[in-house]
Amino acid sequence: MTDKTISSAVIIGAGIFGVSTGVQLARRGIRVTILNDGPAANGASGRSLSWLNSARMRSEPYHRLRMAGIDRYRTLFAQYHDTDWLRFDGGLTWDAGDAGNEIAAAYRHEVSLAYDAQHLAAGSVAGVTPGLDARAITPQGGIFNPGEGWVDLPVLIDLLLQEFSALGGVLVTDQGAARVIIESGRAIGAQTASGDRFEADAVVVATGPAVPKMVAESGKSIGDDTPIALLVQTKPVAHPLRAVLNTPRVAVRPAPGGTFSLDADWAADEGVTLRPDGRYEIDDTVVEALLVEASKVMEGNPKLEIASIGVGGKPIPGDGEPVVGALKAIPGYYVVFSHSGATLGLIVGELLAYEIVTGGEHPMLKTFRPERFG
Ligand SMILES: Cc1cc2nc3c(=O)[nH]c(=O)nc-3n(C[C@H](O)[C@H](O)[C@H](O)COP(=O)(O)OP(=O)(O)OC[C@H]3O[C@@H](n4cnc5c(N)ncnc54)[C@H](O)[C@@H]3O)c2cc1C
């Protein structure tokens, strides 16, 4: 039970952060409206690798937040343990076999945090997780993290939205870009492109890659390092791979229906061009090369075929750390903008809703305040 300081909220953005926050607010008895430009989950959440992890090195508060994020998925998994959209079959990673290989250091770091990790030579991998072509693993070996997993965000968002509407929440989709209404220095609601106004005590901007631009329209600044990202979805292929693979040339993640999701930074850099009319042009040869890289790390080197390709911004704040909470200079205005939004989706929605409802500050979000960008 929490003391409420508000009774209504409007959220712009129906990606994982907006919807997770919306459900959490609705559970606390707040009247919530979520506005989305197109259908729900049509942004980064609809084309995410969604590997649930806190692997490698990062700040201690960020690691703790990610671990709490994984904890919330574990609770969900206990409820839906037999699904094909949320799995905890581990993650396996290795680096290129050159001087930049950081596997040994990453392993030591993970062990120091008690992050479940096994440093394996190529020959030992088959004993812990199936479906790899061990010849692809470099001589420094790989790290297997048994506690990692993945989620299909569109399915999760749909599930959360069902609860949201059962609690009386209102979802308004396909109304074009909404904007925050600020009057007398205070955020008082949001207005859709078609002119509909939704007034509320709190306004949450959860528009993924669009957050820094929207905040800038209110004269505030959030550091932005958002790149263009590419996610390729394969057609179903019968294959034993279960872990999420993060390898030097490709990330491969099992997905519902026996499909796989693939991404790589180089493929987005080389294969996607933003045209002057705002549309993306995709180089088919680069996508084919990504499929070949994925096949090389999979046992039996299966022929992979494209089912769909998702392109667009991958939200990444300027300093790499999440941006969550009140925009203090504008009362009533809250933001959420982060990479790793799959891992963080449930916990950040929960903590942000706590802050909105109580007017307080949660200690887990202390270092992630928007004000740090000045
Ligand atoms: C290729 C790729 C790989 C990734 N890999 C991982 C991973 O392995 N692990 C992990 O944890 N995370 C990963 N992420 C990050 C994660 O997917 C994102 O952090 C998360 O999906 C962001 O969710 P969001 O709700 O902030 O944004 P979005 O999902 O983009 O949602 C924002 C919504 O707001 C809408 N919108 C925008 N502007 C407006 C407006 N003005 N009015 C109304 N609606 C608007 C958009 O259409 C969209 O539906 C990856 C992302 C990508 C793209």
Side-chain angles (χ1 to χ4, degrees):
M1 212 174 82
T2 12
D3 288 337
K4 286 190 280 183
T5 59
I6 64 159
S7 61
S8 60
V10 59
I11 297 173
I12 309 180
I16 186 58
F17 283 136
V19 170
S20 169
T21 308
V23 171
Q24 290 285 344
L25 287 169
R27 283 182 193 167
R28 289 164 169 80
I30 307 298
R31 275 182 292 110
V32 188
T33 305
I34 301 179
L35 309 177
N36 206 55
D37 47 8
N42 65 334
S45 304
R47 45 181 171 74
S48 173
L49 192 76
S50 316
W51 167 39
L52 305 176
N53 80 96
S54 190
R56 305 252 174 169
M57 300 173 198
R58 55 180 51 80
S59 73
E60 210 260 330
Y62 193 12
H63 174 67
R64 270 197 290 131
L65 189 65
R66 295 172 78 107
M67 293 309 289
I70 294 171
D71 171 75
R72 297 308 189 267
Y73 277 104
R74 290 244 173 238
T75 306
L76 192 68
F77 188 59
Q79 203 183 338
Y80 295 97
H81 58 275
D82 208 14
T83 72
D84 69 349
W85 55 269
L86 175 62
R87 302 293 313 167
F88 281 100
D89 295 321
L92 180 71
T93 188
W94 67 88
D95 285 355
D98 56 23
N101 189 295
E102 291 181 341
I103 285 298
Y107 173 69
R108 281 194 302 275
H109 179 69
E110 291 179 4
V111 168
S112 78
L113 295 170
Y115 188 73
D116 200 1
Q118 301 166 19
H119 188 180
L120 301 170
S124 311
V125 167
V128 296
T129 188
L132 268 291
D133 185 335
R135 292 172 302 175
I137 301 174
T138 43
Q140 294 88 341
I143 301 174
F144 182 63
N145 301 110
E148 294 178 350
W150 60 268
V151 63
D152 185 278
L153 285 177
V155 175
L156 174 61
I157 286 171
D158 188 50
L159 186 80
L160 293 173
L161 282 173
Q162 286 174 34
E163 182 185 346
F164 177 71
S165 37
L167 290 167
V170 176
L171 172 67
V172 179
T173 61
D174 303 284
Q175 295 300 308
R179 64 174 187 85
V180 181
I181 308 169
I182 297 175
E183 280 180 15
S184 307
R186 188 184 169 87
I188 59 139
Q191 182 163 4
T192 64
S194 48
D196 293 332
R197 276 171 73 98
F198 298 85
E199 296 199 2
D201 301 327
V203 183
V204 182
V205 173
T207 50
V211 170
K213 190 170 141 266
M214 289 182 71
V215 167
E217 281 161 11
S218 311
K220 302 294 161 212
S221 157
I222 289 178
D224 187 14
D225 209 9
T226 296
I228 293 175
L230 170 82
L231 190 93
V232 175
Q233 197 67 33
T234 73
K235 290 186 179 165
V237 49
H239 197 274
L241 180 68
R242 293 292 172 268
V244 180
L245 304 185
N246 274 278
T247 83
R249 292 289 290 170
V250 64
V252 182
R253 188 263 281 172
T259 66
F260 289 90
S261 299
L262 319 176
D263 87 342
D265 290 348
W266 66 266
D269 295 346
E270 295 172 23
V272 183
T273 316
L274 182 59
R275 296 199 311 215
D277 65 2
R279 291 158 64 130
Y280 294 107
E281 197 171 295
I282 300 169
D283 183 338
D284 295 341
T285 59
V286 173
V287 175
E288 282 303 327
L290 183 67
L291 292 178
V292 170
E293 294 290 353
S295 172
K296 276 190 209 164
V297 299
M298 295 169 72
E299 184 180 306
N301 309 129
K303 176 156 178 45
L304 300 173
E305 293 177 88
I306 304 165
S308 64
I309 302 176
V311 180
K314 181 193 305 197
I316 302 187
D319 59 7
E321 302 249 323
V323 182
V324 190
L327 209 56
K328 287 192 182 130
I330 308 175
Y333 195 135
Y334 294 82
V335 295
V336 50
F337 174 57
S338 184
H339 179 42
S340 295
T343 307
L344 300 176
L346 298 177
I347 188 67
V348 162
E350 180 183 321
L351 299 184
L352 182 55
Y354 165 88
E355 294 200 339
I356 294 169
V357 171
T358 63
E361 294 197 345
H362 197 286
M364 290 276 284
L365 298 179
K366 188 170 176 224
T367 60
F368 304 128
R369 301 295 169 199
E371 287 74 36
R372 69 182 188 272
F373 295 103

